[in-house]
Amino acid sequence: MTAVSAGRRRPVRPARVVLHLFLGTVAVGWLFPILWAVLTSFRSYEYTAVNGYVSLGGWTVDNYVTAWRTAEFGKHFLNSAYITIPAVLLTLFLASCVAFVIARFSWKLNIALLGLFTAANLLPQQALLIPLFRMFTEIPLPAG
């Protein structure tokens, strides 16, 4: 058992307190705009027009109901799920198969293949957006 775990505590240093206060302040500063946007999204437009943005009250979920119906989120959510779920499952399956082969078997291209996969993970996803967009625009879709 160490001295710390035996019941004796280390003294709290002022530098550590200042550090934690600073980190807490920065965290609140980063989260405040997001939390304020979420809070504001639950207010009606009429209440906000009368009382301004810096007020509390006028709570409603009508904004979300209207957005859900107007933008057809249900349909678009299902379309995304039809693409995303099989893509993730297929990716996980193939990646685990390749990881097993790289980890268990020793052959000439083992290290090269590991380096290739590692390098591909270092490529930012934004760099792939334009080639993917061009590829998808070239794929002929059936009329529907």
Side-chain angles (χ1 to χ4, degrees):
M1 234 178 183
T2 63
V4 175
S5 64
R8 286 190 255 156
R9 295 179 150 222
R10 289 186 289 175
V12 178
R13 293 180 293 169
R16 192 132 177 108
V17 173
V18 171
L19 174 68
H20 281 90
L21 286 174
F22 173 73
L23 292 175
T25 305
V26 169
V28 169
W30 276 94
L31 291 176
F32 180 75
I34 297 169
L35 296 174
W36 188 258
V38 170
L39 185 70
T40 305
S41 72
F42 284 105
R43 294 190 304 179
S44 66
Y45 174 75
E46 293 78 19
Y47 182 86
T48 305
V50 171
N51 297 308
Y53 282 105
V54 185
S55 62
L56 297 174
W59 309 116
T60 181
V61 293
D62 289 340
N63 296 335
Y64 287 96
V65 172
T66 303
W68 189 272
R69 288 186 185 146
T70 304
E72 298 177 344
F73 277 136
K75 179 180 83 172
H76 297 302
F77 178 77
L78 285 176
N79 286 344
S80 296
Y82 292 148
I83 298 298
T84 305
I85 292 171
V88 167
L89 292 176
L90 183 66
T91 301
L92 286 174
F93 174 72
L94 293 175
S96 56
C97 289
V98 170
F100 176 80
V101 169
I102 289 175
R104 290 293 189 179
F105 299 110
S106 186
W107 44 293
K108 279 184 179 180
L109 298 176
N110 198 3
I111 299 299
L113 191 61
L114 181 62
L116 177 71
F117 284 123
T118 304
N121 282 330
L122 296 176
L123 185 67
Q125 299 301 313
Q126 294 83 354
L128 300 175
L129 289 178
I130 293 175
L132 278 175
F133 175 75
R134 288 185 178 165
M135 183 180 74
F136 285 130
T137 56
E138 297 296 323
I139 297 173
L141 296 174

